[in-house]
């Protein structure tokens, strides 16, 4: 994620996370015109290529590659397809994800039920979020040009190829988030 967006992400985490509902079960009605399958999504685990959280500190080499590429160079492998609407660049996505280095498999970041502004993360992650529909899981291979580039970031070396496994749990538009904030009851004084 962008280091300059950390204060914004903390604001989003503290103000949006309590407002976002838990993921809907497969039998629930879809939101915003999305369609759902009658079959429940498969469980995460080693048999289907989906990494369960929390992961081992190093992800195996077989789970560090992607099968296809977008025109921008973002690699991807769909691990659990989903249909329906997808978030836009101005939306806030609720995701579970693991980030690891393509070269070594070392995990550098992970989050469960994390609200992230789509336009507040690195370009490759933003593009990835916009490719997923709710309940979808994919592996994304982010080249340096769509990641942190030549400057690196914290523990990430310069020109690092990154891999993320991402599950899109839900998303809200900025207007929906603002409406939730305005209708949320204020806390009593002194608490």
């Amino acid at each position: 994620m962008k280091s300059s967006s950390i204060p914004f992400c903390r604001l989003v985490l503290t103000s949006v996370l309590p407002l976002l509902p838990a993921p809907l079960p497969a039998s629930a009605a879809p939101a915003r015109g999305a369609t759902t399958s009658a079959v429940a999504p498969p469980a995460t685990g080693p048999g289907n290529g989906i990494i369960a959280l929390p992961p081992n500190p190093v992800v195996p080499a077989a789970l560090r590659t992607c099968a296809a590429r977008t025109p921008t160079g973002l690699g991807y492998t769909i691990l659990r397809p989903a249909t329906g609407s997808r978030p836009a660049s101005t939306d806030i996505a609720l995701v579970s994800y693991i980030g690891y280095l393509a070269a070594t498999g070392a995990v550098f970041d992970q989050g469960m039920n994390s609200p992230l502004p789509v336009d507040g993360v690195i370009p490759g992650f933003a593009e990835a979020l916009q490719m997923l529909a709710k309940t979808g899981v994919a592996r994304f291979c982010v080249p340096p040009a769509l990641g942190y580039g030549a400057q690196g970031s914290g523990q990430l070396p310069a020109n690092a190829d990154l891999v993320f496994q991402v599950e899109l749990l839900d998303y809200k538009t900025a207007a929906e988030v603002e409406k939730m904030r305005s209708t949320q009851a204020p806390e009593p004084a002194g608490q």
Side-chain angles (χ1 to χ4, degrees):
M1 308 316 112
K2 288 182 184 175
S3 58
S4 62
S5 67
I6 290 177
F8 178 73
C9 286
R10 286 192 182 125
L11 171 67
V12 170
L13 285 171
T14 58
S15 62
V16 176
L17 185 58
L19 301 174
L20 290 173
L24 295 174
S27 62
R32 292 178 34 169
T35 59
T36 59
S37 169
V39 179
T44 59
N48 58 11
I50 298 175
I51 304 167
L53 288 173
N56 293 328
V58 176
V59 175
L63 301 178
R64 293 187 238 152
T65 61
C66 291
R69 295 225 174 260
T70 67
T72 64
L74 177 68
Y76 65 96
T77 298
I78 303 299
L79 302 173
R80 183 173 63 213
T83 59
S85 61
R86 297 182 168 135
S89 64
T90 57
D91 292 342
I92 296 172
L94 182 66
V95 299
S96 291
Y97 68 94
I98 303 169
Y100 44 102
L101 295 172
T104 64
V107 173
F108 64 85
D109 194 10
Q110 66 181 16
M112 292 190 69
N113 301 316
S114 300
L116 300 173
V118 175
D119 61 0
V121 295
I122 58 172
F125 202 86
E127 182 180 348
L129 289 173
Q130 293 174 81
M131 292 175 65
L132 290 172
K134 290 179 190 177
T135 74
V137 178
R139 180 179 314 120
F140 295 100
C141 298
V142 180
L146 297 176
Y148 294 97
Q151 73 273 10
S153 178
Q155 64 181 347
L156 299 176
N159 297 313
D161 288 304
L162 309 176
V163 183
F164 291 93
Q165 178 181 289
V166 183
E167 178 180 17
L168 179 62
L169 303 170
D170 199 0
Y171 67 91
K172 301 288 182 197
T173 65
E176 289 171 321
V177 171
E178 188 56 41
K179 183 177 179 182
M180 289 187 301
R181 281 185 187 147
S182 67
T183 59
Q184 188 179 35
E187 291 186 24
Q191 289 194 10

